[in-house]
Amino acid sequence: MANDVTVVAGGGGFIGGHLVARLIDEGRLVRAVDRKPLSEWYQVHAGVDNRSLDLQQMEACRAAVEGATEVYNLAADMGGMGFIENNKALCMLSVLINTNLLLASQEAATDRYFFSSSACVYAAGKQVTTDVTALKEDDAYPAMPEDGYGWEKLFSERMCRHFLEDFSLTTRVARYHNVYGEHGTYDGGREKAPAAICRKVIQAKLSGDHEIDVWGDGEQTRSFMYISDCIDGTFKIMTSGITEPINLGSSELVSINQLVDIVEEIAGMTVKRNYILDAPLGVRGRNSDNTRICEYLNWEPSVSLKAGLERTYRWIHDELQA
Ligand code: NAD
């Protein structure tokens, strides 16, 4: 049995795949675990103990964390608004992953445990306008999170808190705000806005049919964090003394129309936008208040949306052409 293993649950997914790469660079012995067969992982890294296991099952969690000093839980049934608004039960079943992983990590006397929460925990009533006030950590309460997915995240945050308080398992929780970048989902129904818009504009360019669908009126606002910032922040939060859930997101607020403007600029063309008003939309506006992460870590995400989208666009372009 190998000791000092760092486990990445959801290692076959978007953020998990990048985190595994970073941990290898840090010289860690890594075990990546995901429910998908290895052939479907977004990145498969050499020199890693890669395992296909369903972490909703307790026995699988025990096998996953054997000999682990650190566990990063990035495994969840998730996707963009199109997925989470139509699959609430599946989203809530991710509670089994975090609950069983916490129990197994406690049994295995793991040193540290990280949970990837989401901005979807924030109360809906604080996100009703496009010029929304950025969300502070305390805005999650009184609770009225995104139905299904957000409730699971909020509950699992509290499980982490109580395992820390009652069982002395060192837990860390980050609330990710929209992460995008290479090696992520860009089609199939689980993709999020940045990858979806890049794909649509690329397809428009390649096909010569210069029209794309935009969900809603395009005036809804969000912030988007590039993957390298997400990985840096995750690593910093895991190694910090921060015991409360903390925002990890960009504070560069844009509308979806502005996002399309940037992608058009990268593509060097404009498209006709068909607004699909009855598409799943989520909240009207959402931004990350980064006061706390600046104060605690003297750091916040810094890759501009334009720079991150350029890299993402090129990667999706190459994938579509391949
Ligand atoms: P992803 O879908 O690419 O990765 C999640 C991985 O978890 C997938 O590979 C999936 O197969 C795996 N998984 C699902 N159920 C599993 C199970 N029962 N056992 C083992 N593996 C299982 O998503 P991502 O974007 O990499 O997200 C990682 C984490 O970050 C998730 O918890 C997600 O909720 C959270 N998050 C992501 C974003 C974002 O914008 N990407 C925003 C907020 C929170």
Side-chain angles (χ1 to χ4, degrees):
M1 182 183 85
N3 286 316
D4 287 347
V5 174
T6 301
V7 173
V8 179
F14 166 47
I15 302 173
H18 286 276
L19 182 62
V20 170
R22 170 66 184 268
L23 290 164
I24 296 169
D25 286 348
E26 297 285 334
R28 301 285 185 88
L29 194 57
V30 184
R31 182 179 302 141
V33 184
D34 203 288
R35 181 169 59 182
K36 295 186 291 200
L38 212 59
S39 58
E40 291 175 22
W41 290 28
Y42 292 151
Q43 300 184 70
V44 178
H45 298 283
V48 171
D49 176 5
N50 293 310
R51 300 190 189 181
S52 288
L53 292 169
D54 179 357
L55 296 171
Q56 290 193 5
Q57 310 299 322
M58 184 62 187
E59 280 315 310
C61 290
R62 287 197 173 107
V65 306
E66 190 185 11
T69 47
E70 292 193 355
V71 175
Y72 288 85
N73 177 14
L74 300 166
D77 230 332
M78 70 88 67
M81 285 317 300
F83 179 78
I84 66 178
E85 281 202 359
N86 293 306
N87 295 279
K88 295 183 181 121
L90 282 183
C91 289
M92 292 207 78
L93 281 169
S94 296
V95 77
L96 295 173
I97 302 174
N98 193 59
T99 305
N100 285 327
L101 263 183
L102 275 170
L103 283 165
S105 299
Q106 184 209 353
E107 273 179 22
T110 301
D111 292 339
R112 271 174 194 258
Y113 183 97
F114 176 90
F115 175 63
S116 51
S117 185
S118 163
C120 287
V121 300
Y122 284 112
K126 292 170 181 158
Q127 306 172 78
V128 293
T129 58
T130 55
D131 60 343
V132 63
T133 304
L135 295 157
K136 290 185 186 301
E137 285 75 359
D138 294 344
D139 288 326
Y141 296 97
M144 188 45 72
E146 179 77 37
D147 200 5
Y149 179 75
W151 276 108
E152 188 279 322
K153 290 293 188 192
L154 197 60
F155 176 86
S156 291
E157 282 189 0
R158 297 199 75 84
M159 287 287 280
C160 290
R161 173 190 178 135
H162 298 307
F163 268 67
L164 171 68
E165 289 173 353
D166 297 355
F167 302 146
S168 301
L169 174 65
T170 299
T171 56
R172 300 288 178 258
V173 177
R175 288 182 183 152
Y176 291 164
H177 291 244
N178 293 307
V179 188
Y180 71 97
E182 304 92 309
H183 301 287
T185 312
Y186 62 87
D187 64 5
R190 289 182 187 244
E191 64 275 24
K192 303 185 106 186
I197 299 293
C198 285
R199 171 181 50 79
K200 289 175 188 181
V201 171
I202 293 165
Q203 284 172 333
K205 188 168 182 172
L206 294 177
S207 70
D209 174 9
H210 292 182
E211 278 190 28
I212 68 163
D213 287 348
V214 174
W215 288 9
D217 63 4
E219 291 307 307
Q220 65 273 32
T221 52
R222 295 289 187 278
S223 69
F224 300 98
M225 169 171 55
Y226 185 61
I227 184 67
S228 61
D229 276 333
C230 174
I231 298 302
D232 278 354
T234 297
F235 205 67
K236 284 180 193 299
I237 291 167
M238 176 64 139
T239 49
S240 76
I242 304 168
T243 55
E244 293 292 320
I246 187 161
N247 281 337
L248 181 54
S250 164
S251 55
E252 184 185 348
L253 187 71
V254 290
S255 69
I256 297 301
N257 279 325
Q258 288 170 319
L259 183 71
V260 179
D261 293 344
I262 298 173
V263 177
E264 283 181 335
E265 203 184 321
I266 294 167
M269 63 177 272
T270 54
V271 288
K272 178 173 179 300
R273 304 172 193 188
N274 297 323
Y275 293 104
I276 310 295
L277 299 179
D278 58 357
L281 293 176
V283 294
R284 190 69 177 146
R286 173 180 290 157
N287 196 6
S288 177
D289 182 305
N290 288 346
T291 309
R292 195 170 284 180
I293 196 161
C294 287
E295 186 186 323
Y296 287 177
L297 297 176
N298 192 24
W299 178 90
E300 66 176 321
S302 62
V303 178
S304 71
L305 185 55
K306 174 90 190 290
L309 278 176
E310 271 172 358
R311 292 175 219 166
T312 309
Y313 179 96
R314 289 198 205 303
W315 178 78
I316 296 175
H317 185 273
D318 290 348
E319 287 288 300
L320 286 173
Q321 279 209 315

